[in-house]
Protein backbone atom coordinates (compact mmCIF):
# COMPACT_ATOMS: atom_id res chain seq x y z
CA UNK A 1 0.00 0.00 0.00
CA UNK A 2 1.37 3.40 -0.95
CA UNK A 3 1.17 6.03 1.77
CA UNK A 4 1.37 9.58 0.44
CA UNK A 5 1.17 11.56 3.68
CA UNK A 6 -0.64 14.46 2.04
CA UNK A 7 -4.06 15.36 0.69
CA UNK A 8 -6.10 18.36 -0.44
CA UNK A 9 -8.27 20.08 2.13
CA UNK A 10 -10.61 22.60 0.51
CA UNK A 11 -8.01 23.13 -2.18
CA UNK A 12 -5.16 23.55 0.32
CA UNK A 13 -2.21 21.18 0.18
CA UNK A 14 -2.15 19.46 3.56
CA UNK A 15 1.13 17.69 4.09
CA UNK A 16 2.14 15.02 6.54
CA UNK A 17 -1.28 14.22 7.98
CA UNK A 18 -3.66 11.28 7.67
CA UNK A 19 -6.69 12.13 5.48
CA UNK A 20 -9.17 11.90 8.38
CA UNK A 21 -7.11 14.16 10.69
CA UNK A 22 -9.99 16.62 11.04
CA UNK A 23 -12.11 14.10 12.97
CA UNK A 24 -9.31 13.52 15.48
CA UNK A 25 -8.74 17.19 16.16
CA UNK A 26 -12.44 17.98 16.18
CA UNK A 27 -12.95 15.56 19.05
CA UNK A 28 -10.04 17.05 21.03
CA UNK A 29 -10.92 20.68 20.41
CA UNK A 30 -14.61 20.27 21.23
CA UNK A 31 -13.73 18.42 24.44
CA UNK A 32 -11.13 20.93 25.65
CA UNK A 33 -11.97 24.27 23.92
CA UNK A 34 -8.43 25.60 24.30
CA UNK A 35 -7.81 29.29 24.88
CA UNK A 36 -4.50 29.26 22.96
CA UNK A 37 -3.26 26.91 20.23
CA UNK A 38 0.46 26.92 19.41
CA UNK A 39 1.66 25.05 16.33
CA UNK A 40 5.38 24.51 15.76
CA UNK A 41 5.76 23.68 12.06
CA UNK A 42 3.25 25.45 9.78
CA UNK A 43 4.46 23.98 6.47
CA UNK A 44 1.73 24.76 3.90
CA UNK A 45 -0.79 25.70 6.60
CA UNK A 46 -3.14 22.79 5.95
CA UNK A 47 -3.48 21.59 9.54
CA UNK A 48 -3.69 25.19 10.75
CA UNK A 49 -6.68 25.78 8.47
CA UNK A 50 -8.32 22.50 9.50
CA UNK A 51 -8.04 23.52 13.15
CA UNK A 52 -9.32 27.01 12.32
CA UNK A 53 -12.36 25.53 10.55
CA UNK A 54 -13.11 23.22 13.48
CA UNK A 55 -13.01 26.19 15.84
CA UNK A 56 -15.32 28.27 13.64
CA UNK A 57 -17.74 25.42 12.88
CA UNK A 58 -18.13 24.68 16.60
CA UNK A 59 -18.02 28.26 17.93
CA UNK A 60 -14.90 27.56 20.01
CA UNK A 61 -12.30 30.02 21.29
CA UNK A 62 -10.07 31.33 18.50
CA UNK A 63 -6.42 32.13 19.23
CA UNK A 64 -4.06 30.25 16.88
CA UNK A 65 -0.32 30.93 16.73
CA UNK A 66 1.73 28.99 14.17
CA UNK A 67 5.51 29.05 13.73
CA UNK A 68 7.72 28.04 10.82
CA UNK A 69 11.28 28.73 9.66
CA UNK A 70 10.33 29.22 6.00
CA UNK A 71 8.10 32.05 4.83
CA UNK A 72 5.46 31.39 2.18
CA UNK A 73 3.51 34.43 0.94
CA UNK A 74 0.34 32.50 0.11
CA UNK A 75 0.35 30.80 3.53
CA UNK A 76 0.74 34.18 5.22
CA UNK A 77 -2.12 35.64 3.17
CA UNK A 78 -4.45 32.70 3.84
CA UNK A 79 -3.75 32.70 7.57
CA UNK A 80 -4.04 36.48 7.84
CA UNK A 81 -7.53 36.24 6.28
CA UNK A 82 -8.39 33.74 9.01
CA UNK A 83 -6.98 35.92 11.81
CA UNK A 84 -4.31 33.35 12.67
CA UNK A 85 -0.90 34.54 13.86
CA UNK A 86 1.91 33.36 11.56
CA UNK A 87 5.53 33.71 12.71
CA UNK A 88 8.71 33.05 10.74
CA UNK A 89 11.38 32.13 13.28
CA UNK A 90 14.18 29.64 13.76
CA UNK A 91 13.24 27.38 16.65
CA UNK A 92 16.88 27.27 17.78
CA UNK A 93 16.91 31.02 18.43
CA UNK A 94 16.03 32.72 21.69
CA UNK A 95 13.30 34.93 20.17
CA UNK A 96 11.42 31.81 19.08
CA UNK A 97 11.87 30.09 22.45
CA UNK A 98 10.73 33.19 24.31
CA UNK A 99 7.67 33.62 22.09
CA UNK A 100 6.54 30.04 22.72
CA UNK A 101 7.30 30.28 26.45
CA UNK A 102 5.28 33.50 26.72
CA UNK A 103 2.29 31.92 24.97
CA UNK A 104 2.42 28.83 27.19
CA UNK A 105 2.84 31.06 30.24
CA UNK A 106 -0.55 32.70 29.88
CA UNK A 107 -3.12 31.80 32.51
CA UNK A 108 -5.22 30.17 29.81
CA UNK A 109 -5.47 26.55 28.64
CA UNK A 110 -2.97 25.75 25.89
CA UNK A 111 -2.66 23.16 23.14
CA UNK A 112 0.94 22.84 21.92
CA UNK A 113 1.60 20.96 18.66
CA UNK A 114 5.22 19.85 18.20
CA UNK A 115 5.64 19.29 14.47
CA UNK A 116 8.76 21.27 13.62
CA UNK A 117 12.31 20.29 12.86
CA UNK A 118 13.09 18.58 16.17
CA UNK A 119 9.98 17.11 17.74
CA UNK A 120 11.84 15.36 20.53
CA UNK A 121 13.51 18.56 21.71
CA UNK A 122 10.29 20.55 21.27
CA UNK A 123 8.32 18.12 23.42
CA UNK A 124 10.98 17.80 26.11
CA UNK A 125 11.69 21.53 26.30
CA UNK A 126 8.17 22.89 26.39
CA UNK A 127 6.49 20.12 28.42
CA UNK A 128 8.28 21.58 31.45
CA UNK A 129 6.32 24.82 31.04
CA UNK A 130 2.82 23.36 30.83
CA UNK A 131 0.10 24.20 33.31
CA UNK A 132 -2.57 21.82 34.62
CA UNK A 133 -5.03 21.12 31.81
CA UNK A 134 -2.64 22.03 28.99
CA UNK A 135 -2.14 19.45 26.24
CA UNK A 136 1.07 18.74 24.31
CA UNK A 137 1.28 16.70 21.13
CA UNK A 138 4.08 15.47 18.86
CA UNK A 139 3.69 14.24 15.29
CA UNK A 140 5.27 11.28 13.45
CA UNK A 141 4.97 9.36 16.71
CA UNK A 142 4.80 5.66 17.43
CA UNK A 143 5.15 4.09 20.87
CA UNK A 144 8.26 2.25 19.70
CA UNK A 145 9.88 1.03 16.51
CA UNK A 146 8.20 -2.37 16.70
CA UNK A 147 4.74 -0.79 16.86
CA UNK A 148 5.69 1.42 13.93
CA UNK A 149 6.91 -1.51 11.82
CA UNK A 150 4.14 -3.94 12.77
CA UNK A 151 1.09 -1.69 12.94
CA UNK A 152 1.74 1.55 11.08
CA UNK A 153 4.30 1.32 8.28
CA UNK A 154 2.71 0.75 4.86
CA UNK A 155 -0.70 0.63 6.55
CA UNK A 156 -1.47 4.25 7.37
CA UNK A 157 1.76 6.11 8.23
CA UNK A 158 5.37 5.79 7.03
CA UNK A 159 7.18 8.46 9.05
CA UNK A 160 8.68 7.77 12.48
CA UNK A 161 10.56 10.56 14.25
CA UNK A 162 9.67 10.22 17.93
CA UNK A 163 8.80 7.39 20.33
CA UNK A 164 7.89 6.99 23.98
CA UNK A 165 11.47 6.44 25.14
CA UNK A 166 12.33 9.87 23.68
CA UNK A 167 9.81 11.60 25.95
CA UNK A 168 9.44 9.18 28.88
CA UNK A 169 11.51 11.28 31.28
CA UNK A 170 9.46 14.40 30.51
CA UNK A 171 6.16 12.53 30.76
CA UNK A 172 7.08 11.24 34.20
CA UNK A 173 8.78 14.35 35.62
CA UNK A 174 6.17 16.80 34.31
CA UNK A 175 3.10 14.86 35.47
CA UNK A 176 1.75 14.11 32.00
CA UNK A 177 -0.79 11.43 31.21
CA UNK A 178 -1.73 10.11 27.82
CA UNK A 179 -4.85 11.85 26.58
CA UNK A 180 -7.38 9.04 26.34
CA UNK A 181 -10.56 10.81 25.25
CA UNK A 182 -9.29 10.66 21.66
CA UNK A 183 -6.98 7.89 20.45
CA UNK A 184 -4.41 9.65 18.30
CA UNK A 185 -2.45 6.47 17.53
CA UNK A 186 -3.98 6.15 14.07
CA UNK A 187 -3.10 9.76 13.32
CA UNK A 188 0.57 9.24 14.35
CA UNK A 189 0.39 11.88 17.09
CA UNK A 190 1.48 11.57 20.71
CA UNK A 191 -0.99 13.38 22.95
CA UNK A 192 -0.44 14.11 26.65
CA UNK A 193 -2.20 16.30 29.20
CA UNK A 194 -0.69 17.97 32.24
CA UNK A 195 -2.30 16.83 35.51
Amino acid sequence: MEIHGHFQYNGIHTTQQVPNIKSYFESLLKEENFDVIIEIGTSFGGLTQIIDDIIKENNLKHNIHTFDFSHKDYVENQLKERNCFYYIMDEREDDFKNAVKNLIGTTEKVLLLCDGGNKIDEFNTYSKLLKVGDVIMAHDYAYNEQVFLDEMKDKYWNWFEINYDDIKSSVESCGLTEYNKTNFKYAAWACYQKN
Side-chain angles (χ1 to χ4, degrees):
M1 178 180 187
E2 189 175 359
I3 308 294
H4 296 286
H6 60 84
F7 62 97
Q8 292 290 313
Y9 173 77
N10 293 340
I12 303 300
H13 182 77
T14 303
T15 187
Q16 290 294 86
Q17 299 295 334
V18 294
N20 58 343
I21 192 63
K22 186 175 182 182
S23 64
Y24 287 97
F25 274 96
E26 185 162 33
S27 176
L28 172 68
L29 297 177
K30 286 169 71 175
E31 182 74 34
E32 299 297 332
N33 195 10
F34 297 98
D35 298 292
V36 180
I37 296 174
I38 307 163
E39 178 186 38
I40 302 174
T42 313
S43 190
F44 298 107
L47 181 60
T48 319
Q49 295 194 44
I50 289 170
I51 289 171
D52 185 59
D53 281 350
I54 293 167
I55 288 169
K56 289 172 179 167
E57 290 163 7
N58 293 281
N59 198 28
L60 304 174
K61 296 171 189 167
H62 188 278
N63 191 2
I64 300 172
H65 299 260
T66 184
F67 294 80
D68 208 280
F69 67 91
S70 176
H71 180 262
K72 298 173 184 72
D73 285 339
Y74 69 93
V75 173
E76 180 179 27
N77 293 336
Q78 290 166 349
L79 295 181
K80 189 182 287 185
E81 287 175 10
R82 291 171 169 268
N83 294 315
C84 298
F85 298 95
Y86 179 49
Y87 307 87
I88 305 305
M89 295 178 158
D90 185 330
E91 67 179 84
R92 298 167 296 184
E93 300 293 329
D94 286 342
D95 59 344
F96 171 90
K97 294 173 184 175
N98 290 332
V100 173
K101 286 177 185 176
N102 288 338
L103 287 167
I104 295 171
T106 68
T107 57
E108 302 169 312
K109 184 159 56 168
V110 168
L111 170 63
L112 175 60
L113 305 173
C114 302
D115 198 10
N118 190 342
K119 294 159 186 148
I120 296 168
D121 185 57
E122 293 159 16
F123 189 103
N124 289 327
T125 297
Y126 298 112
S127 58
K128 297 173 178 63
L129 305 175
L130 299 177
K131 309 170 302 296
V132 172
D134 289 351
V135 171
I136 186 168
M137 300 177 66
H139 195 217
D140 298 313
Y141 173 85
Y143 183 77
N144 58 36
E145 186 175 16
Q146 202 60 55
V147 168
F148 174 71
L149 294 172
D150 292 348
E151 301 178 25
M152 299 169 70
K153 188 168 178 10
D154 296 328
K155 295 176 179 66
Y156 63 90
W157 201 248
N158 284 351
W159 297 268
F160 176 47
E161 295 183 25
I162 181 170
N163 66 59
Y164 184 71
D165 282 345
D166 295 324
I167 60 174
K168 180 180 179 184
S169 175
S170 294
V171 168
E172 293 174 352
S173 65
C174 297
L176 305 178
T177 55
E178 191 167 16
Y179 191 86
N180 59 10
K181 296 170 192 161
T182 304
N183 181 357
F184 278 92
K185 174 184 174 181
Y186 296 104
W189 280 91
C191 187
Y192 286 85
Q193 189 164 34
K194 171 82 173 182
N195 296 315

